[in-house]
Short mmCIF file of all heavy atoms in Angstrom, two decimals:
data_model
loop_
_atom_site.label_atom_id
_atom_site.label_comp_id
_atom_site.label_asym_id
_atom_site.label_seq_id
_atom_site.Cartn_x
_atom_site.Cartn_y
_atom_site.Cartn_z
N MET A 1 12.97 -21.88 22.42
CA MET A 1 12.88 -21.65 20.97
C MET A 1 13.91 -22.47 20.22
O MET A 1 13.96 -22.47 19.03
CB MET A 1 13.10 -20.15 20.72
CG MET A 1 12.80 -19.70 19.29
SD MET A 1 11.05 -19.51 19.00
CE MET A 1 11.09 -19.05 17.27
N GLY A 2 14.81 -23.16 20.94
CA GLY A 2 15.82 -23.95 20.25
C GLY A 2 16.98 -23.11 19.81
O GLY A 2 17.09 -21.94 20.15
N GLU A 3 17.87 -23.71 19.05
CA GLU A 3 19.07 -22.99 18.66
C GLU A 3 18.77 -21.94 17.62
O GLU A 3 17.87 -22.08 16.81
CB GLU A 3 20.12 -23.97 18.14
CG GLU A 3 19.64 -24.74 16.93
CD GLU A 3 20.70 -25.74 16.47
OE1 GLU A 3 21.87 -25.39 16.53
OE2 GLU A 3 20.32 -26.83 16.08
N VAL A 4 19.51 -20.88 17.68
CA VAL A 4 19.35 -19.81 16.70
C VAL A 4 20.69 -19.54 16.06
O VAL A 4 21.74 -19.89 16.59
CB VAL A 4 18.80 -18.52 17.35
CG1 VAL A 4 17.39 -18.72 17.84
CG2 VAL A 4 19.71 -18.07 18.46
N LEU A 5 20.61 -18.93 14.91
CA LEU A 5 21.81 -18.62 14.15
C LEU A 5 21.99 -17.11 14.13
O LEU A 5 21.05 -16.39 13.87
CB LEU A 5 21.66 -19.16 12.73
CG LEU A 5 22.76 -18.81 11.73
CD1 LEU A 5 24.02 -19.58 12.05
CD2 LEU A 5 22.29 -19.14 10.32
N GLU A 6 23.18 -16.68 14.47
CA GLU A 6 23.42 -15.25 14.45
C GLU A 6 23.63 -14.79 13.01
O GLU A 6 24.44 -15.36 12.29
CB GLU A 6 24.67 -14.94 15.27
CG GLU A 6 24.80 -13.48 15.61
CD GLU A 6 25.96 -13.26 16.57
OE1 GLU A 6 25.89 -13.76 17.70
OE2 GLU A 6 26.92 -12.63 16.15
N VAL A 7 22.86 -13.81 12.62
CA VAL A 7 22.93 -13.33 11.24
C VAL A 7 23.47 -11.91 11.23
O VAL A 7 22.91 -11.04 11.89
CB VAL A 7 21.53 -13.36 10.60
CG1 VAL A 7 21.57 -12.77 9.20
CG2 VAL A 7 20.99 -14.77 10.56
N PRO A 8 24.56 -11.69 10.51
CA PRO A 8 25.06 -10.32 10.42
C PRO A 8 24.10 -9.47 9.60
O PRO A 8 23.69 -9.86 8.52
CB PRO A 8 26.40 -10.48 9.71
CG PRO A 8 26.33 -11.78 9.00
CD PRO A 8 25.35 -12.63 9.74
N ALA A 9 23.72 -8.34 10.13
CA ALA A 9 22.80 -7.46 9.42
C ALA A 9 23.51 -6.12 9.21
O ALA A 9 24.56 -5.87 9.76
CB ALA A 9 21.52 -7.28 10.23
N GLY A 10 22.91 -5.30 8.40
CA GLY A 10 23.52 -4.01 8.11
C GLY A 10 23.64 -3.13 9.34
O GLY A 10 22.91 -3.29 10.31
N GLY A 11 24.59 -2.23 9.33
CA GLY A 11 24.75 -1.28 10.42
C GLY A 11 25.30 -1.87 11.68
O GLY A 11 25.23 -1.26 12.74
N GLY A 12 25.87 -3.06 11.60
CA GLY A 12 26.47 -3.67 12.78
C GLY A 12 25.46 -4.31 13.71
O GLY A 12 25.82 -4.87 14.72
N ALA A 13 24.18 -4.21 13.37
CA ALA A 13 23.16 -4.83 14.21
C ALA A 13 23.24 -6.34 14.10
O ALA A 13 23.63 -6.88 13.07
CB ALA A 13 21.78 -4.35 13.80
N LYS A 14 22.86 -7.01 15.15
CA LYS A 14 22.83 -8.47 15.12
C LYS A 14 21.40 -8.93 15.27
O LYS A 14 20.66 -8.42 16.09
CB LYS A 14 23.70 -9.05 16.24
CG LYS A 14 25.17 -8.89 15.94
CD LYS A 14 26.00 -9.48 17.06
CE LYS A 14 27.50 -9.31 16.75
NZ LYS A 14 28.33 -9.74 17.87
N ARG A 15 21.06 -9.90 14.49
CA ARG A 15 19.72 -10.45 14.58
C ARG A 15 19.84 -11.94 14.82
O ARG A 15 20.77 -12.58 14.36
CB ARG A 15 18.95 -10.22 13.29
CG ARG A 15 18.74 -8.74 13.03
CD ARG A 15 17.93 -8.55 11.78
NE ARG A 15 17.83 -7.13 11.47
CZ ARG A 15 16.75 -6.55 10.96
NH1 ARG A 15 15.69 -7.27 10.72
NH2 ARG A 15 16.74 -5.28 10.69
N TYR A 16 18.89 -12.48 15.52
CA TYR A 16 18.90 -13.91 15.77
C TYR A 16 17.81 -14.57 14.95
O TYR A 16 16.67 -14.13 14.95
CB TYR A 16 18.75 -14.17 17.26
CG TYR A 16 20.00 -13.72 17.98
CD1 TYR A 16 20.14 -12.43 18.44
CD2 TYR A 16 21.07 -14.61 18.09
CE1 TYR A 16 21.31 -12.01 19.05
CE2 TYR A 16 22.25 -14.19 18.70
CZ TYR A 16 22.37 -12.90 19.18
OH TYR A 16 23.53 -12.50 19.76
N ASP A 17 18.24 -15.57 14.25
CA ASP A 17 17.38 -16.17 13.25
C ASP A 17 16.65 -17.38 13.82
O ASP A 17 17.26 -18.37 14.16
CB ASP A 17 18.27 -16.60 12.08
CG ASP A 17 17.46 -16.98 10.87
OD1 ASP A 17 16.27 -17.31 11.04
OD2 ASP A 17 18.00 -16.95 9.78
N PRO A 18 15.35 -17.28 13.93
CA PRO A 18 14.59 -18.40 14.50
C PRO A 18 14.45 -19.58 13.55
O PRO A 18 13.97 -20.63 13.95
CB PRO A 18 13.23 -17.78 14.81
CG PRO A 18 13.09 -16.68 13.82
CD PRO A 18 14.49 -16.17 13.56
N ASN A 19 14.85 -19.39 12.30
CA ASN A 19 14.68 -20.46 11.33
C ASN A 19 15.98 -21.20 11.02
O ASN A 19 16.16 -21.74 9.95
CB ASN A 19 14.11 -19.90 10.02
CG ASN A 19 12.67 -19.49 10.17
OD1 ASN A 19 11.92 -20.12 10.91
ND2 ASN A 19 12.28 -18.43 9.51
N ALA A 20 16.90 -21.19 11.97
CA ALA A 20 18.22 -21.76 11.70
C ALA A 20 18.17 -23.22 11.28
O ALA A 20 19.04 -23.69 10.58
CB ALA A 20 19.10 -21.62 12.94
N ARG A 21 17.14 -23.91 11.72
CA ARG A 21 17.11 -25.34 11.41
C ARG A 21 16.35 -25.66 10.14
O ARG A 21 16.27 -26.81 9.74
CB ARG A 21 16.53 -26.12 12.59
CG ARG A 21 17.56 -26.22 13.71
CD ARG A 21 17.12 -27.17 14.78
NE ARG A 21 16.04 -26.61 15.59
CZ ARG A 21 15.42 -27.27 16.54
NH1 ARG A 21 15.74 -28.50 16.80
NH2 ARG A 21 14.48 -26.70 17.25
N LEU A 22 15.77 -24.64 9.51
CA LEU A 22 15.11 -24.85 8.23
C LEU A 22 16.03 -24.34 7.14
O LEU A 22 16.54 -23.22 7.23
CB LEU A 22 13.80 -24.06 8.17
CG LEU A 22 12.57 -24.71 8.79
CD1 LEU A 22 11.39 -23.75 8.69
CD2 LEU A 22 12.24 -26.00 8.08
N ALA A 23 16.24 -25.14 6.10
CA ALA A 23 17.07 -24.68 5.00
C ALA A 23 16.39 -23.51 4.30
O ALA A 23 15.29 -23.66 3.77
CB ALA A 23 17.31 -25.82 4.02
N HIS A 24 17.02 -22.37 4.37
CA HIS A 24 16.46 -21.21 3.69
C HIS A 24 17.56 -20.21 3.40
O HIS A 24 18.67 -20.35 3.88
CB HIS A 24 15.36 -20.58 4.55
CG HIS A 24 15.86 -20.01 5.84
ND1 HIS A 24 16.08 -20.77 6.96
CD2 HIS A 24 16.22 -18.75 6.17
CE1 HIS A 24 16.54 -20.00 7.93
NE2 HIS A 24 16.65 -18.76 7.48
N GLN A 25 17.24 -19.22 2.63
CA GLN A 25 18.21 -18.19 2.30
C GLN A 25 17.69 -16.85 2.78
O GLN A 25 16.61 -16.78 3.37
CB GLN A 25 18.46 -18.17 0.77
CG GLN A 25 18.85 -19.51 0.19
CD GLN A 25 20.10 -20.11 0.83
OE1 GLN A 25 20.87 -19.43 1.48
NE2 GLN A 25 20.28 -21.40 0.64
N HIS A 26 18.49 -15.82 2.55
CA HIS A 26 18.11 -14.52 3.08
C HIS A 26 17.98 -13.47 2.01
O HIS A 26 18.71 -13.46 1.03
CB HIS A 26 19.13 -14.08 4.14
CG HIS A 26 19.03 -14.89 5.39
ND1 HIS A 26 20.09 -15.54 5.95
CD2 HIS A 26 17.96 -15.18 6.17
CE1 HIS A 26 19.67 -16.20 7.03
NE2 HIS A 26 18.39 -16.00 7.18
N LEU A 27 17.03 -12.58 2.27
CA LEU A 27 16.78 -11.43 1.42
C LEU A 27 17.05 -10.22 2.31
O LEU A 27 16.45 -10.08 3.37
CB LEU A 27 15.32 -11.48 0.98
CG LEU A 27 14.74 -10.35 0.16
CD1 LEU A 27 15.41 -10.24 -1.19
CD2 LEU A 27 13.24 -10.58 -0.03
N VAL A 28 18.02 -9.41 1.92
CA VAL A 28 18.46 -8.32 2.79
C VAL A 28 18.39 -6.99 2.07
O VAL A 28 18.82 -6.87 0.92
CB VAL A 28 19.93 -8.57 3.25
CG1 VAL A 28 20.42 -7.43 4.13
CG2 VAL A 28 20.03 -9.88 4.00
N CYS A 29 17.86 -5.99 2.76
CA CYS A 29 17.88 -4.64 2.23
C CYS A 29 19.27 -4.06 2.50
O CYS A 29 19.72 -4.00 3.64
CB CYS A 29 16.79 -3.79 2.87
SG CYS A 29 16.83 -2.08 2.27
N THR A 30 19.92 -3.62 1.43
CA THR A 30 21.29 -3.12 1.58
C THR A 30 21.30 -1.73 2.20
O THR A 30 22.35 -1.21 2.56
CB THR A 30 21.99 -3.06 0.20
OG1 THR A 30 21.19 -2.31 -0.71
CG2 THR A 30 22.20 -4.45 -0.33
N ARG A 31 20.13 -1.12 2.34
CA ARG A 31 20.10 0.22 2.90
C ARG A 31 19.77 0.22 4.38
O ARG A 31 20.47 0.82 5.19
CB ARG A 31 19.09 1.08 2.12
CG ARG A 31 19.10 2.52 2.57
CD ARG A 31 18.31 3.36 1.59
NE ARG A 31 18.02 4.67 2.15
CZ ARG A 31 17.17 5.52 1.61
NH1 ARG A 31 16.52 5.20 0.50
NH2 ARG A 31 16.96 6.69 2.16
N CYS A 32 18.70 -0.46 4.76
CA CYS A 32 18.30 -0.41 6.17
C CYS A 32 18.57 -1.72 6.90
O CYS A 32 18.43 -1.78 8.11
CB CYS A 32 16.82 -0.04 6.29
SG CYS A 32 15.70 -1.36 5.80
N GLY A 33 18.94 -2.76 6.17
CA GLY A 33 19.27 -4.00 6.83
C GLY A 33 18.07 -4.91 7.09
O GLY A 33 18.21 -5.94 7.74
N GLU A 34 16.91 -4.53 6.60
CA GLU A 34 15.72 -5.39 6.72
C GLU A 34 16.07 -6.78 6.21
O GLU A 34 16.68 -6.92 5.16
CB GLU A 34 14.59 -4.78 5.87
CG GLU A 34 13.34 -5.62 5.81
CD GLU A 34 12.46 -5.45 7.03
OE1 GLU A 34 12.56 -4.41 7.69
OE2 GLU A 34 11.68 -6.37 7.32
N LEU A 35 15.71 -7.78 6.98
CA LEU A 35 16.10 -9.14 6.62
C LEU A 35 14.87 -10.02 6.57
O LEU A 35 14.05 -10.00 7.48
CB LEU A 35 17.12 -9.66 7.63
CG LEU A 35 17.72 -11.05 7.38
CD1 LEU A 35 19.14 -11.09 7.89
CD2 LEU A 35 16.89 -12.14 8.02
N ARG A 36 14.75 -10.75 5.51
CA ARG A 36 13.63 -11.69 5.36
C ARG A 36 14.18 -13.07 5.06
O ARG A 36 15.17 -13.21 4.36
CB ARG A 36 12.73 -11.27 4.19
CG ARG A 36 12.17 -9.88 4.29
CD ARG A 36 11.01 -9.86 5.24
NE ARG A 36 10.50 -8.50 5.38
CZ ARG A 36 9.36 -8.20 5.98
NH1 ARG A 36 8.63 -9.15 6.48
NH2 ARG A 36 8.96 -6.95 6.08
N ASP A 37 13.48 -14.06 5.55
CA ASP A 37 13.80 -15.43 5.17
C ASP A 37 13.08 -15.75 3.88
O ASP A 37 11.91 -15.42 3.73
CB ASP A 37 13.34 -16.40 6.25
CG ASP A 37 14.22 -16.32 7.49
OD1 ASP A 37 15.40 -15.99 7.35
OD2 ASP A 37 13.71 -16.60 8.57
N VAL A 38 13.78 -16.38 2.97
CA VAL A 38 13.15 -16.80 1.73
C VAL A 38 13.49 -18.26 1.48
O VAL A 38 14.49 -18.77 1.98
CB VAL A 38 13.59 -15.91 0.54
CG1 VAL A 38 13.03 -14.50 0.68
CG2 VAL A 38 15.10 -15.86 0.40
N PHE A 39 12.64 -18.89 0.73
CA PHE A 39 12.80 -20.33 0.50
C PHE A 39 12.83 -20.62 -0.99
O PHE A 39 11.84 -21.09 -1.55
CB PHE A 39 11.67 -21.10 1.19
CG PHE A 39 11.65 -20.88 2.68
CD1 PHE A 39 11.00 -19.77 3.22
CD2 PHE A 39 12.30 -21.75 3.53
CE1 PHE A 39 10.99 -19.55 4.59
CE2 PHE A 39 12.29 -21.55 4.90
CZ PHE A 39 11.64 -20.44 5.43
N PRO A 40 13.95 -20.33 -1.64
CA PRO A 40 14.03 -20.58 -3.08
C PRO A 40 13.94 -22.08 -3.35
O PRO A 40 14.36 -22.89 -2.51
CB PRO A 40 15.40 -20.05 -3.49
CG PRO A 40 16.06 -19.53 -2.26
CD PRO A 40 15.20 -19.86 -1.08
N ALA A 41 13.40 -22.40 -4.51
CA ALA A 41 13.26 -23.81 -4.87
C ALA A 41 14.64 -24.43 -5.08
O ALA A 41 15.57 -23.76 -5.52
CB ALA A 41 12.44 -23.94 -6.15
N GLY A 42 14.78 -25.67 -4.77
CA GLY A 42 16.01 -26.41 -5.00
C GLY A 42 17.17 -25.78 -4.28
O GLY A 42 17.07 -25.37 -3.13
N GLU A 43 18.28 -25.67 -4.95
CA GLU A 43 19.48 -25.08 -4.35
C GLU A 43 19.64 -23.64 -4.83
O GLU A 43 20.75 -23.20 -5.07
CB GLU A 43 20.71 -25.88 -4.74
CG GLU A 43 20.78 -27.25 -4.08
CD GLU A 43 22.05 -27.97 -4.49
OE1 GLU A 43 22.10 -28.49 -5.61
OE2 GLU A 43 23.00 -27.98 -3.70
N ALA A 44 18.55 -22.94 -5.01
CA ALA A 44 18.60 -21.56 -5.48
C ALA A 44 19.33 -21.46 -6.81
O ALA A 44 19.98 -20.47 -7.11
CB ALA A 44 19.27 -20.67 -4.44
N GLY A 45 19.19 -22.51 -7.60
CA GLY A 45 19.80 -22.49 -8.92
C GLY A 45 21.30 -22.74 -8.90
O GLY A 45 21.94 -22.66 -9.93
N LEU A 46 21.83 -23.02 -7.72
CA LEU A 46 23.27 -23.23 -7.64
C LEU A 46 23.60 -24.70 -7.46
O LEU A 46 23.00 -25.38 -6.66
CB LEU A 46 23.84 -22.47 -6.43
CG LEU A 46 23.74 -20.96 -6.50
CD1 LEU A 46 24.22 -20.36 -5.18
CD2 LEU A 46 24.58 -20.42 -7.62
N SER A 47 24.56 -25.13 -8.20
CA SER A 47 25.08 -26.46 -7.95
C SER A 47 26.50 -26.51 -8.49
O SER A 47 26.86 -25.77 -9.40
CB SER A 47 24.21 -27.53 -8.62
OG SER A 47 24.22 -27.36 -10.01
N LEU A 48 27.29 -27.35 -7.89
CA LEU A 48 28.69 -27.47 -8.31
C LEU A 48 28.91 -28.83 -8.95
O LEU A 48 28.55 -29.85 -8.39
CB LEU A 48 29.62 -27.35 -7.09
CG LEU A 48 29.88 -25.95 -6.56
CD1 LEU A 48 30.83 -26.04 -5.36
CD2 LEU A 48 30.49 -25.07 -7.63
N GLY A 49 29.52 -28.80 -10.11
CA GLY A 49 29.92 -30.05 -10.73
C GLY A 49 31.12 -30.62 -10.00
O GLY A 49 31.77 -29.92 -9.21
N ALA A 50 31.40 -31.88 -10.24
CA ALA A 50 32.51 -32.55 -9.55
C ALA A 50 33.81 -31.78 -9.71
O ALA A 50 34.61 -31.66 -8.77
CB ALA A 50 32.66 -33.97 -10.06
N ASP A 51 34.05 -31.21 -10.88
CA ASP A 51 35.30 -30.50 -11.13
C ASP A 51 35.42 -29.24 -10.29
O ASP A 51 36.52 -28.78 -10.00
CB ASP A 51 35.40 -30.12 -12.61
CG ASP A 51 35.68 -31.34 -13.48
OD1 ASP A 51 35.99 -32.41 -12.91
OD2 ASP A 51 35.58 -31.22 -14.71
N ASP A 52 34.29 -28.65 -9.93
CA ASP A 52 34.31 -27.41 -9.17
C ASP A 52 34.29 -27.64 -7.66
O ASP A 52 34.37 -26.69 -6.89
CB ASP A 52 33.11 -26.54 -9.55
CG ASP A 52 33.39 -25.78 -10.85
OD1 ASP A 52 34.56 -25.43 -11.08
OD2 ASP A 52 32.45 -25.56 -11.61
N ARG A 53 34.14 -28.86 -7.24
CA ARG A 53 34.06 -29.11 -5.79
C ARG A 53 35.43 -29.23 -5.17
O ARG A 53 35.57 -29.20 -3.95
CB ARG A 53 33.26 -30.38 -5.53
CG ARG A 53 31.80 -30.19 -5.94
CD ARG A 53 30.90 -31.33 -5.49
NE ARG A 53 29.55 -31.11 -6.04
CZ ARG A 53 28.43 -31.47 -5.43
NH1 ARG A 53 28.50 -32.14 -4.30
NH2 ARG A 53 27.27 -31.22 -5.97
N HIS A 54 36.46 -29.38 -5.98
CA HIS A 54 37.83 -29.46 -5.48
C HIS A 54 37.96 -30.46 -4.35
O HIS A 54 38.65 -30.23 -3.36
CB HIS A 54 38.31 -28.09 -5.03
CG HIS A 54 38.30 -27.07 -6.14
ND1 HIS A 54 39.29 -27.00 -7.10
CD2 HIS A 54 37.39 -26.12 -6.45
CE1 HIS A 54 38.99 -26.03 -7.95
NE2 HIS A 54 37.85 -25.48 -7.58
N GLY A 55 37.25 -31.56 -4.44
CA GLY A 55 37.37 -32.59 -3.42
C GLY A 55 36.51 -32.35 -2.19
O GLY A 55 36.49 -33.17 -1.29
N PHE A 56 35.82 -31.19 -2.15
CA PHE A 56 34.99 -30.89 -0.98
C PHE A 56 33.72 -31.72 -1.00
O PHE A 56 33.18 -32.02 -2.06
CB PHE A 56 34.55 -29.41 -0.99
CG PHE A 56 35.61 -28.45 -0.51
CD1 PHE A 56 36.88 -28.44 -1.06
CD2 PHE A 56 35.30 -27.54 0.48
CE1 PHE A 56 37.85 -27.53 -0.64
CE2 PHE A 56 36.27 -26.62 0.92
CZ PHE A 56 37.53 -26.62 0.37
N GLU A 57 33.25 -32.04 0.20
CA GLU A 57 31.89 -32.54 0.33
C GLU A 57 31.03 -31.33 0.65
O GLU A 57 31.14 -30.76 1.73
CB GLU A 57 31.79 -33.58 1.45
CG GLU A 57 30.36 -34.07 1.62
CD GLU A 57 30.20 -34.90 2.89
OE1 GLU A 57 31.22 -35.23 3.54
OE2 GLU A 57 29.05 -35.20 3.23
N VAL A 58 30.22 -30.91 -0.30
CA VAL A 58 29.41 -29.71 -0.11
C VAL A 58 28.18 -30.06 0.71
O VAL A 58 27.42 -30.95 0.37
CB VAL A 58 29.00 -29.12 -1.47
CG1 VAL A 58 28.10 -27.91 -1.28
CG2 VAL A 58 30.24 -28.74 -2.27
N THR A 59 28.01 -29.36 1.83
CA THR A 59 26.89 -29.68 2.72
C THR A 59 25.82 -28.59 2.74
O THR A 59 24.73 -28.82 3.24
CB THR A 59 27.41 -29.88 4.16
OG1 THR A 59 28.13 -28.71 4.55
CG2 THR A 59 28.33 -31.07 4.23
N ALA A 60 26.13 -27.42 2.24
CA ALA A 60 25.14 -26.35 2.27
C ALA A 60 25.48 -25.30 1.24
O ALA A 60 26.63 -25.16 0.82
CB ALA A 60 25.08 -25.71 3.66
N VAL A 61 24.46 -24.58 0.84
CA VAL A 61 24.64 -23.44 -0.07
C VAL A 61 24.07 -22.22 0.63
O VAL A 61 22.96 -22.27 1.17
CB VAL A 61 23.88 -23.66 -1.40
CG1 VAL A 61 24.05 -22.44 -2.30
CG2 VAL A 61 24.38 -24.91 -2.09
N ARG A 62 24.84 -21.16 0.68
CA ARG A 62 24.35 -19.96 1.35
C ARG A 62 24.23 -18.84 0.32
O ARG A 62 25.20 -18.49 -0.35
CB ARG A 62 25.35 -19.56 2.45
CG ARG A 62 24.86 -18.40 3.28
CD ARG A 62 25.68 -18.27 4.54
NE ARG A 62 25.58 -19.46 5.38
CZ ARG A 62 26.05 -19.53 6.62
NH1 ARG A 62 26.67 -18.50 7.14
NH2 ARG A 62 25.91 -20.62 7.32
N VAL A 63 23.04 -18.34 0.20
CA VAL A 63 22.78 -17.29 -0.78
C VAL A 63 22.14 -16.11 -0.07
O VAL A 63 21.24 -16.29 0.74
CB VAL A 63 21.82 -17.80 -1.89
CG1 VAL A 63 21.48 -16.68 -2.86
CG2 VAL A 63 22.44 -18.98 -2.63
N VAL A 64 22.61 -14.92 -0.35
CA VAL A 64 21.97 -13.72 0.18
C VAL A 64 21.49 -12.90 -1.01
O VAL A 64 22.28 -12.48 -1.84
CB VAL A 64 22.93 -12.89 1.05
CG1 VAL A 64 22.25 -11.61 1.51
CG2 VAL A 64 23.40 -13.71 2.24
N PHE A 65 20.18 -12.70 -1.06
CA PHE A 65 19.61 -11.84 -2.08
C PHE A 65 19.63 -10.42 -1.53
O PHE A 65 19.11 -10.18 -0.44
CB PHE A 65 18.16 -12.26 -2.38
CG PHE A 65 18.05 -13.64 -2.96
CD1 PHE A 65 17.93 -14.74 -2.12
CD2 PHE A 65 18.05 -13.84 -4.32
CE1 PHE A 65 17.83 -16.03 -2.64
CE2 PHE A 65 17.93 -15.12 -4.85
CZ PHE A 65 17.82 -16.21 -4.01
N GLU A 66 20.26 -9.52 -2.25
CA GLU A 66 20.36 -8.15 -1.76
C GLU A 66 19.56 -7.21 -2.63
O GLU A 66 19.44 -7.40 -3.84
CB GLU A 66 21.83 -7.70 -1.77
CG GLU A 66 22.69 -8.48 -0.80
CD GLU A 66 24.12 -7.98 -0.76
OE1 GLU A 66 24.57 -7.41 -1.77
OE2 GLU A 66 24.75 -8.13 0.29
N GLY A 67 19.03 -6.17 -2.00
CA GLY A 67 18.28 -5.19 -2.76
C GLY A 67 17.71 -4.14 -1.83
O GLY A 67 18.20 -3.96 -0.71
N LEU A 68 16.70 -3.44 -2.30
CA LEU A 68 16.07 -2.41 -1.49
C LEU A 68 14.66 -2.84 -1.13
O LEU A 68 13.89 -3.27 -1.99
CB LEU A 68 16.02 -1.08 -2.26
CG LEU A 68 17.38 -0.42 -2.53
CD1 LEU A 68 17.18 0.82 -3.38
CD2 LEU A 68 18.10 -0.09 -1.24
N CYS A 69 14.33 -2.72 0.15
CA CYS A 69 12.99 -3.09 0.60
C CYS A 69 12.00 -2.01 0.15
O CYS A 69 12.41 -0.94 -0.31
CB CYS A 69 12.98 -3.23 2.11
SG CYS A 69 13.06 -1.68 2.99
N PRO A 70 10.71 -2.29 0.28
CA PRO A 70 9.71 -1.31 -0.21
C PRO A 70 9.89 0.07 0.42
O PRO A 70 9.65 1.09 -0.24
CB PRO A 70 8.38 -1.95 0.20
CG PRO A 70 8.67 -3.41 0.22
CD PRO A 70 10.10 -3.54 0.70
N SER A 71 10.30 0.15 1.68
CA SER A 71 10.43 1.48 2.28
C SER A 71 11.68 2.20 1.83
O SER A 71 11.78 3.42 1.99
CB SER A 71 10.42 1.40 3.80
OG SER A 71 10.28 0.12 4.27
N CYS A 72 12.64 1.49 1.29
CA CYS A 72 13.88 2.14 0.85
C CYS A 72 13.93 2.40 -0.65
O CYS A 72 14.79 3.12 -1.11
CB CYS A 72 15.08 1.27 1.23
SG CYS A 72 15.34 1.18 3.02
N ARG A 73 13.02 1.77 -1.37
CA ARG A 73 13.02 2.00 -2.81
C ARG A 73 12.65 3.44 -3.11
O ARG A 73 11.77 3.98 -2.46
CB ARG A 73 12.00 1.07 -3.49
CG ARG A 73 12.51 -0.32 -3.67
CD ARG A 73 11.83 -1.01 -4.84
NE ARG A 73 10.40 -0.78 -4.84
CZ ARG A 73 9.49 -1.74 -4.64
NH1 ARG A 73 9.87 -2.96 -4.42
NH2 ARG A 73 8.21 -1.47 -4.67
N PRO A 74 13.32 4.03 -4.10
CA PRO A 74 12.96 5.40 -4.47
C PRO A 74 11.50 5.46 -4.89
O PRO A 74 11.00 4.54 -5.53
CB PRO A 74 13.86 5.70 -5.67
CG PRO A 74 14.97 4.70 -5.60
CD PRO A 74 14.39 3.49 -4.91
N VAL A 75 10.83 6.54 -4.51
CA VAL A 75 9.42 6.70 -4.88
C VAL A 75 9.29 6.70 -6.39
O VAL A 75 10.05 7.36 -7.08
CB VAL A 75 8.86 8.01 -4.29
CG1 VAL A 75 7.43 8.26 -4.77
CG2 VAL A 75 8.93 7.96 -2.77
N GLY A 76 8.34 5.93 -6.88
CA GLY A 76 8.10 5.90 -8.32
C GLY A 76 8.82 4.77 -9.02
O GLY A 76 8.54 4.47 -10.15
N ALA A 77 9.76 4.13 -8.33
CA ALA A 77 10.45 3.00 -8.96
C ALA A 77 9.54 1.79 -8.96
O ALA A 77 8.68 1.64 -8.10
CB ALA A 77 11.73 2.69 -8.20
N ALA A 78 9.76 0.93 -9.93
CA ALA A 78 8.90 -0.25 -10.06
C ALA A 78 9.18 -1.22 -8.95
O ALA A 78 10.30 -1.42 -8.58
CB ALA A 78 9.13 -0.91 -11.41
ZN1 LIG B 1 15.22 -1.02 3.49
ZN1 LIG B 2 16.92 -16.85 8.22
#
């Protein structure tokens, strides 16, 4: 399956990410730790201007979208 990336998940569980070689971000349920790969357009709306890079060569952007999955959302919530 090739190299995998260890992803910290909620509750101390460890998951191995089969998509480590595809640029993507994560959507995580803060309650049960459900983890989904998501592919936001571009750099997920994030970019650093030269002044904010502090001399760094930025090679990646890591974004975690957090929320409640359908099974953890309170009943009746949108
Ligand atoms: Zn959940
Ligand atoms: Zn992933």
Side-chain angles (χ1 to χ4, degrees):
M1 190 79 182
E3 61 182 322
V4 293
L5 174 72
E6 195 173 295
V7 176
K14 286 180 180 174
R15 296 183 185 216
Y16 291 89
D17 192 338
N19 289 326
R21 285 190 287 176
L22 276 177
H24 65 277
Q25 306 302 343
H26 290 126
L27 176 65
V28 178
C29 178
T30 53
R31 185 168 166 191
C32 73
E34 175 81 24
L35 183 148
R36 303 282 178 169
D37 287 331
V38 292
F39 299 85
E43 290 181 282
L46 295 175
S47 63
L48 282 180
D51 287 350
D52 279 327
R53 294 190 185 212
H54 300 281
F56 281 53
E57 178 190 351
V58 177
T59 55
V61 178
R62 186 166 299 190
V63 176
V64 177
F65 296 88
E66 295 183 333
L68 293 176
C69 74
S71 0
C72 292
R73 281 206 316 247
V75 175

